[in-house]
Amino acid sequence: MRMGAITIILTDGPYISEYAEMAYKIAKAALKKHEVNIFLYLDAVHIPKKGQNPAFFANAGELFGELAALGARVEACPRCATARGYAPVNGESEDYLGAIKITSLYRLAEMLEESDRVVALSR
Amino acid sequence: MRMGAITIILTDGPYISEYAEMAYKIAKAALKKHEVNIFLYLDAVHIPKKGQNPAFFANAGELFGELAALGARVEACPRCATARGYAPVNGESEDYLGAIKITSLYRLAEMLEESDRVVALSR
Amino acid sequence: MNRKGELHSGPANQRKDIFLLTKSPHSDRARLCLQLIAQSEDAVLYLAGDGVYNLLGESPAALSRERIVACQEDLQARGVLADENATVSVDFYELLIYDVMSETARVYTF
Amino acid sequence: MNRKGELHSGPANQRKDIFLLTKSPHSDRARLCLQLIAQSEDAVLYLAGDGVYNLLGESPAALSRERIVACQEDLQARGVLADENATVSVDFYELLIYDVMSETARVYTF
Amino acid sequence: MRSIFYLLDSAPYGSEKAFGLLNAAAVSIRMDVAVGLYADGVFLALAGQDSQALKVPNLSDIIYAYPEIRFLAHEPSLAERDLLSQSLTERVELLDEELFLNEVLASESVVIL
Amino acid sequence: MRSIFYLLDSAPYGSEKAFGLLNAAAVSIRMDVAVGLYADGVFLALAGQDSQALKVPNLSDIIYAYPEIRFLAHEPSLAERDLLSQSLTERVELLDEELFLNEVLASESVVIL
């Protein structure tokens, strides 16, 4: 059983900054013992896009898919996602990797209320 | 006939900054008399994504579609686009609005060589 | 039409430097922009986006009111009054392009 | 297991402030981070990403070497030597999470 | 978390950060919420914002719509930007360096977007 | 354009900007190309960069791969960051304030990414 919860908030898209990768490293370490929530806000809603194929960097989509498979709850802001072309249908986007949901900004507040720690990474 | 050419370089995605919209305004004004090239680099490759639907801002995809229809050459960097999930097939991405091509970083250099002025907008 | 048949002609072929500043005053880019203006012999400063914050307090560059052009909608959104420092324009981008594309102009964007 | 049954316990329930800094020294965020460290009674500074540039020159905070932890791969990539200022760790994120999740910790990210 | 301090260090309108931060603060009001304006974030305190012609949301209006949120501005940041002689939004409380730092450290969590 | 000045004002590795700027400079060598390091961009001049463990491209190597490109660093930016006492990449030429500004103004176009 995991004890204690941490919420990570991201606002940058993949590759343009190293925060997606740093969040992955933090989450990966935390998941060994703790609950991990990740909220994708503003440009970070690009992170779960399907079909990423970076030649020089780690594939951010795959990294976050791995986190979700390890039990992290990864959710994206619907306003930010819809604006950027990821309109959710029943909380999912056909452009997104599975396991990553588009929920509600209220979920960010819930994650924060329920968490013991919060880490926000942004440029 | 349009006289003189200007190249605009963008590096931010839509909505996160006002540079996509500012580039639109510059390009729109320039297109009345001049050739306009726009190179989408780094995060700016998100600008032509299909299906954008912002509730509070002007639709960046539509703005750039309009510029292309008015004669602007809008081209995106293939490395940046492929990394971010817009792999080109024959210079086009199925996730992109039509008329916006994914070409080559060498095209940026050509645009610069052939232009009279260059404006780069970035955070 | 001028010799190259391409661009508007400027006065007496003297080079004109157009500075487009979209950054707030405490940024490295605003600082560099203002230093370059100080070195230029014929500078015009266009302020758009967060660049209009440079009009708060003292005039951002030792330029006359005619040589600083600010974008009206950007001023209004931010609650910045241009006072006597700048020429406020609703046709900001038209003016900018006219100036930028004139024959003797160079453009620097910050 | 501690009373809440949730997190590692810290020494004598005294609050511990964990600062994660990923910004270079001349940024507003680095400045604020260092000011907060100066106010804290029990601070530990974790440096990752561009935060490791804070190790160039004088020590970034009046903290002992044990209280500044730097990420090895970020130092190496940037060509920054930690010298005597910081503890360099290959298990940076494990250490960070252990500290951050300890019962009496608070975390501040810059 | 029972309390949260959202720190804004970028100017409004130029980026989506300020809008995003205010929206995040607005949904967080079941906790104690403060929004701290620091560095370029203090430009949000300017009175008389009218974003109609720019066709983007008026961020000043959002400040007034959420009386549950405390708005705190870092006075040295205002002073550095020549803002102390300007008209400022009444909703924003000015704090000197020490008081501002104390507010940050007093909150259970800090989020910078 | 016959000459272009790429200005880098952000640190390498933390963002894709430096990598993107170096790639853009690399394809531009049919023109006169200079890369100016300014503000946090001067961190690119540090010697001994080894990005293998971070699994990202080594930006120092790119500098050495393009002898056609002039690399110029703004000395006051280096001094402010305590970099003048550090080992720096030999490819980078240090210019004082005035010389740096002159180089910017001498180039036909300036691109900041």
Side-chain angles (χ1 to χ4, degrees):
Chain A
M1 196 190 114
R2 288 177 173 138
M3 295 183 294
I6 184 169
T7 291
I8 301 170
I9 306 174
L10 288 173
T11 60
D12 282 347
Y15 316 114
I16 190 69
S17 83
E18 63 181 349
Y19 288 116
E21 215 170 318
M22 205 181 277
Y24 166 80
K25 292 174 184 173
I26 293 172
K28 189 86 188 285
L31 279 165
K32 292 180 186 165
K33 289 189 181 165
H34 310 287
E35 299 282 344
V36 174
N37 304 311
I38 300 176
F39 196 79
L40 306 176
Y41 200 39
L42 305 179
D43 266 2
V45 300
H46 289 300
I47 292 174
K49 188 179 185 311
K50 277 184 190 163
Q52 294 173 52
N53 189 14
F56 298 99
F57 304 100
N59 186 316
E62 287 177 5
L63 295 180
F64 279 68
E66 181 192 334
L67 293 176
L70 290 170
R73 281 190 299 190
V74 187
E75 303 183 18
C77 164
R79 176 187 71 78
C80 312
T82 303
R84 288 164 176 80
Y86 309 98
V89 177
N90 297 323
E92 301 192 356
S93 165
E94 56 180 20
D95 281 352
Y96 264 22
L97 297 162
I100 295 173
K101 305 298 175 205
I102 299 171
T103 57
S104 157
L105 190 55
Y106 289 95
R107 284 285 304 138
L108 168 63
E110 284 174 19
M111 285 179 171
L112 293 173
E113 285 174 61
E114 294 164 9
S115 290
D116 300 283
R117 307 285 181 267
V118 55
V119 166
L121 297 168
S122 68
R123 269 190 287 172
Chain B
M1 196 190 115
R2 289 179 172 134
M3 296 183 293
I6 183 169
T7 291
I8 301 171
I9 307 174
L10 288 173
T11 60
D12 282 347
Y15 316 115
I16 191 69
S17 83
E18 62 181 350
Y19 289 115
E21 216 170 318
M22 204 181 278
Y24 166 79
K25 292 175 183 172
I26 293 172
K28 189 86 188 286
L31 279 165
K32 292 179 185 165
K33 290 190 181 163
H34 311 286
E35 299 282 344
V36 174
N37 304 311
I38 300 177
F39 197 80
L40 305 176
Y41 200 41
L42 305 179
D43 266 2
V45 300
H46 289 302
I47 291 175
K49 186 178 186 311
K50 276 184 190 163
Q52 295 174 51
N53 189 15
F56 298 98
F57 304 99
N59 187 314
E62 287 176 6
L63 295 180
F64 279 67
E66 182 192 333
L67 293 176
L70 290 171
R73 282 191 298 190
V74 187
E75 303 183 18
C77 163
R79 176 188 70 79
C80 312
T82 303
R84 288 164 177 79
Y86 309 99
V89 178
N90 297 324
E92 302 194 356
S93 164
E94 56 181 19
D95 281 354
Y96 264 22
L97 296 162
I100 295 172
K101 306 296 174 207
I102 298 171
T103 56
S104 157
L105 190 55
Y106 289 96
R107 283 286 303 139
L108 168 64
E110 283 175 21
M111 284 179 172
L112 293 174
E113 285 174 61
E114 292 164 10
S115 289
D116 300 282
R117 306 285 182 268
V118 55
V119 166
L121 296 169
S122 68
R123 268 191 287 173
Chain C
M1 193 181 291
N2 59 53
R3 194 166 46 92
K4 285 173 73 189
E6 282 180 343
L7 299 169
H8 322 288
S9 51
N13 259 8
Q14 196 206 320
R15 169 176 160 186
K16 187 174 180 181
D17 297 321
I18 313 293
F19 294 87
L20 170 60
L21 176 58
T22 67
K23 300 288 183 294
S24 60
H26 279 255
S27 63
D28 293 316
R29 293 199 196 171
R31 211 166 294 131
L32 180 59
C33 177
L34 297 179
Q35 284 178 319
L36 290 168
I37 288 174
Q39 299 273 316
S40 168
E41 300 196 355
D42 188 0
V44 180
L45 173 60
Y46 281 82
L47 298 170
D50 289 342
V52 302
Y53 288 122
N54 288 277
L55 291 174
L56 294 167
E58 285 174 40
S59 184
L63 296 176
S64 64
R65 190 174 183 278
E66 295 70 39
R67 287 178 173 270
I68 304 184
V69 184
C71 179
Q72 188 174 47
E73 67 253 33
D74 287 326
L75 285 166
Q76 283 178 338
R78 289 162 178 82
V80 177
L81 299 172
D83 291 331
E84 307 297 301
N85 288 344
T87 305
V88 177
S89 173
V90 282
D91 298 317
F92 180 86
Y93 292 98
E94 309 282 333
L95 282 177
L96 173 69
I97 284 298
Y98 183 84
D99 247 8
V100 161
M101 300 306 289
S102 68
E103 199 195 357
T104 57
R106 291 208 176 174
V107 58
Y108 301 91
T109 314
F110 294 91
Chain D
M1 195 181 292
N2 59 54
R3 194 165 46 89
K4 286 173 73 191
E6 284 179 341
L7 299 169
H8 321 288
S9 51
N13 259 10
Q14 196 206 320
R15 171 176 158 184
K16 186 175 181 181
D17 297 320
I18 313 294
F19 293 88
L20 170 60
L21 177 57
T22 67
K23 300 288 181 295
S24 61
H26 278 254
S27 63
D28 293 317
R29 292 198 196 171
R31 213 166 291 131
L32 180 58
C33 178
L34 297 179
Q35 284 178 319
L36 290 168
I37 288 173
Q39 298 274 313
S40 167
E41 300 195 356
D42 187 0
V44 180
L45 173 60
Y46 281 82
L47 297 171
D50 291 340
V52 303
Y53 288 122
N54 287 277
L55 291 173
L56 295 167
E58 286 176 37
S59 184
L63 296 176
S64 65
R65 190 174 184 279
E66 295 71 39
R67 286 177 174 270
I68 303 184
V69 185
C71 179
Q72 189 174 48
E73 67 254 33
D74 287 327
L75 285 166
Q76 284 177 339
R78 289 163 179 81
V80 176
L81 299 173
D83 291 330
E84 307 296 303
N85 287 342
T87 305
V88 177
S89 173
V90 281
D91 298 318
F92 180 87
Y93 291 98
E94 310 280 335
L95 282 177
L96 172 70
I97 283 298
Y98 184 83
D99 246 8
V100 161
M101 299 307 288
S102 68
E103 199 194 358
T104 57
R106 290 209 177 172
V107 59
Y108 300 91
T109 315
F110 293 92
Chain E
M1 298 295 172
R2 287 170 304 258
S3 62
I4 187 155
F5 190 102
Y6 286 101
L7 190 114
L8 178 65
D9 67 353
S10 53
Y13 305 107
S15 92
E16 198 186 4
K17 294 276 181 91
F19 183 55
L21 186 136
L22 292 174
N23 285 333
V27 297
S28 303
I29 55 178
R30 289 201 305 189
M31 297 175 277
D32 283 336
V33 185
V35 168
L37 309 180
Y38 180 77
D40 271 4
V42 298
F43 287 122
L44 184 61
L46 269 174
Q49 297 171 39
D50 175 3
S51 60
Q52 227 175 330
L54 197 58
K55 293 177 192 151
V56 298
N58 186 322
L59 302 187
S60 241
D61 290 351
I62 302 180
I63 291 184
Y64 280 98
Y66 294 92
E68 302 89 340
I69 303 171
R70 293 176 64 205
F71 286 90
L72 313 171
H74 180 245
E75 209 172 77
S77 297
L78 286 161
E80 279 167 19
R81 286 162 182 77
D82 285 318
L83 287 179
L84 291 174
S85 57
Q86 305 282 329
S87 326
L88 302 177
T89 301
E90 285 168 29
R91 281 280 285 120
V92 176
E93 193 180 334
L94 271 50
L95 298 182
D96 67 20
E97 187 89 78
E98 196 185 336
L99 288 174
F100 190 87
L101 296 177
N102 288 346
E103 288 283 350
V104 178
L105 290 171
S107 203
E108 223 182 323
S109 56
V110 176
V111 169
I112 313 182
L113 294 187
Chain F
M1 299 296 171
R2 287 170 303 259
S3 61
I4 187 157
F5 190 101
Y6 285 101
L7 189 113
L8 178 66
D9 67 353
S10 52
Y13 306 107
S15 92
E16 198 186 3
K17 294 275 182 91
F19 183 55
L21 186 137
L22 292 174
N23 285 333
V27 297
S28 303
I29 54 179
R30 287 201 307 189
M31 297 175 277
D32 283 337
V33 185
V35 168
L37 309 180
Y38 180 76
D40 271 5
V42 297
F43 287 123
L44 184 61
L46 269 174
Q49 296 172 40
D50 175 3
S51 60
Q52 225 175 330
L54 197 58
K55 295 176 191 150
V56 297
N58 187 322
L59 302 186
S60 242
D61 290 351
I62 301 180
I63 291 183
Y64 279 97
Y66 295 91
E68 302 89 341
I69 302 171
R70 292 176 64 205
F71 286 90
L72 313 170
H74 180 245
E75 210 172 76
S77 298
L78 286 162
E80 279 168 18
R81 286 161 183 79
D82 285 319
L83 287 178
L84 291 174
S85 57
Q86 306 282 329
S87 326
L88 301 178
T89 302
E90 284 168 30
R91 280 281 284 120
V92 176
E93 192 181 334
L94 272 48
L95 298 183
D96 68 20
E97 187 88 77
E98 197 185 336
L99 287 174
F100 191 87
L101 296 177
N102 288 347
E103 289 283 351
V104 178
L105 290 171
S107 203
E108 222 182 326
S109 56
V110 176
V111 169
I112 313 181
L113 293 187

